[in-house]
Amino acid sequence: MADFDLTQLPTRSPADCHKEATVRQTKKIRQELIELQDRLYAENRRSVLIILQGMDASGKDGLIRRVFSGINPQGVRVHSFKEPTEGELAHDFLWRIHQQTPARGMIQVFNRSQYEDVLITRVEHLIDDAEAQRRFEAINNFEQLLQEAGTTVLKFYLHVSEKEQRERLEERVTDPAKQWKYEAGDERKANQWPAYRDVYEDVFRHCSPESCPWHIVPADQNWYKAHVVAKTLRDALVAMDLQYPASKVKRWEDR
């Protein structure tokens, strides 16, 4: 079991990483993603699930726009998991998650995910450690099931610093273009940063198998965050060796 200490991991790009060059590389990668997604959709045998987690104001919405802009929306779906409804709470915690997993040929993006049920539930003391351990095992089995069915699972934690998070939350109060994002509990959640850090580290220790490990993405700079996620997705799709299927229609000369 690997150990994780988020306080020792960077939230910004490496010193030798230049913004202009990186942005150009990201644009090139996005062009590659357009063709790779087209191959995935045409092949219609496998799928990709992208899980995005992070502290409030870590930039999940903006990341989705930066990475998937220009990609055929017919082959990409995004689902944001909010607080469970009364109907969802009447089932096991993975019930609502499984309904949103990708069909063959699709890329599905989870903005928050099943991991909320071992994060906020622990910070708010809605479940105890024993229940959390049971849920870790259920999540690992669930992700293994998806992989065995042909779904590549990519998990990204957007690692934003406490200082940057507070500045972004303050913008939700002062910037008219961002005030719609403000929620009454934002300040309280910011004060819970250490508690969320601890439960996230526990997730990384228990739910990061070799087959679908967590990618800890420095998230203080939006341009670098988008680059890391886009490149990781591109590399995963390339490794799948996606192929266009042969036509099922006989050509005239073959009839």
Side-chain angles (χ1 to χ4, degrees), residues 29-43:
I29 290 172
R30 279 172 49 197
Q31 290 301 310
E32 295 179 65
L33 288 175
I34 291 173
E35 180 181 350
L36 288 164
Q37 180 272 325
D38 192 57
R39 288 175 178 266
L40 176 71
Y41 187 77
E43 186 190 68

Side-chain angles (χ1 to χ4, degrees), residues 118 122 132-140 202-203 206-207:
V118 288
R122 299 187 76 190
Q133 292 297 324
R134 287 191 288 270
R135 293 188 179 191
F136 289 150
E137 183 176 357
I139 288 172
N140 286 335
D202 214 19
V203 163
H206 290 90
C207 298

Side-chain angles (χ1 to χ4, degrees), residues 69-106:
S69 177
I71 296 179
N72 187 348
Q74 189 170 235
V76 179
R77 298 287 184 272
V78 178
H79 187 83
S80 298
F81 287 98
K82 306 295 185 181
E83 183 177 348
T85 65
E86 184 176 342
E88 290 169 340
L89 288 171
H91 299 269
D92 67 272
F93 79 97
L94 288 173
W95 179 79
R96 67 174 184 155
I97 308 296
H98 208 154
Q99 295 181 77
Q100 301 298 331
T101 55
R104 293 185 182 92
M106 299 296 295

Side-chain angles (χ1 to χ4, degrees), residues 147 208-213:
Q147 292 175 91
S208 194
E210 186 177 345
S211 62
C212 58

Side-chain angles (χ1 to χ4, degrees), residues 1-7 9 51-55 113 115 118-119 122 133 136 139-140 143 155-160 193 196-210 212-217:
M1 183 185 301
D3 194 22
F4 287 88
D5 183 353
L6 288 175
T7 64
L9 298 178
I51 293 173
L52 300 179
Q53 288 286 159
M55 304 286 190
S113 66
Y115 287 99
V118 288
L119 292 167
R122 299 187 76 190
Q133 292 297 324
F136 289 150
I139 288 172
N140 286 335
E143 293 175 355
K155 300 184 293 194
F156 299 98
Y157 171 72
L158 308 186
H159 186 29
V160 66
W193 200 93
Y196 274 101
R197 180 191 64 216
D198 289 344
V199 293
Y200 264 113
E201 290 173 350
D202 214 19
V203 163
F204 303 148
R205 282 189 286 267
H206 290 90
C207 298
S208 194
E210 186 177 345
C212 58
W214 279 96
H215 301 273
I216 313 299
V217 182

Side-chain angles (χ1 to χ4, degrees), residues 45-231:
R45 291 196 302 110
R46 293 169 288 178
S47 59
V48 176
L49 173 61
I50 297 171
I51 293 173
L52 300 179
Q53 288 286 159
M55 304 286 190
D56 278 5
S58 58
K60 294 180 288 295
D61 292 334
L63 171 69
I64 293 169
R65 290 194 300 271
R66 287 181 174 86
V67 173
F68 294 99
S69 177
I71 296 179
N72 187 348
Q74 189 170 235
V76 179
R77 298 287 184 272
V78 178
H79 187 83
S80 298
F81 287 98
K82 306 295 185 181
E83 183 177 348
T85 65
E86 184 176 342
E88 290 169 340
L89 288 171
H91 299 269
D92 67 272
F93 79 97
L94 288 173
W95 179 79
R96 67 174 184 155
I97 308 296
H98 208 154
Q99 295 181 77
Q100 301 298 331
T101 55
R104 293 185 182 92
M106 299 296 295
I107 296 175
Q108 177 75 47
V109 182
F110 281 180
N111 186 338
R112 301 189 185 277
S113 66
Q114 63 269 23
Y115 287 99
E116 293 297 297
D117 289 288
V118 288
L119 292 167
I120 188 172
T121 53
R122 299 187 76 190
V123 172
E124 299 296 339
H125 305 292
L126 301 176
I127 64 172
D128 59 18
D129 290 345
E131 176 60 21
Q133 292 297 324
R134 287 191 288 270
R135 293 188 179 191
F136 289 150
E137 183 176 357
I139 288 172
N140 286 335
N141 291 336
F142 172 67
E143 293 175 355
Q144 182 179 351
L145 171 67
L146 294 179
Q147 292 175 91
E148 290 173 352
T151 298
T152 295
V153 180
L154 300 175
K155 300 184 293 194
F156 299 98
Y157 171 72
L158 308 186
H159 186 29
V160 66
S161 66
E162 188 172 5
K163 177 178 179 294
E164 180 67 21
Q165 183 201 39
R166 287 189 173 275
E167 291 177 359
R168 293 180 183 179
L169 290 175
E170 180 61 27
E171 287 182 344
R172 294 182 180 181
V173 178
T174 60
D175 187 345
K178 298 182 179 180
Q179 287 177 352
W180 64 275
K181 295 183 178 181
Y182 177 78
E183 296 180 358
D186 280 354
E187 181 62 28
R188 178 170 175 266
K189 290 178 181 177
N191 292 331
Q192 292 174 317
W193 200 93
Y196 274 101
R197 180 191 64 216
D198 289 344
V199 293
Y200 264 113
E201 290 173 350
D202 214 19
V203 163
F204 303 148
R205 282 189 286 267
H206 290 90
C207 298
S208 194
E210 186 177 345
S211 62
C212 58
W214 279 96
H215 301 273
I216 313 299
V217 182
D220 280 5
Q221 298 154 296
N222 291 327
W223 57 271
Y224 184 70
K225 172 178 60 183
H227 175 74
V228 172
V229 172
K231 182 178 184 299

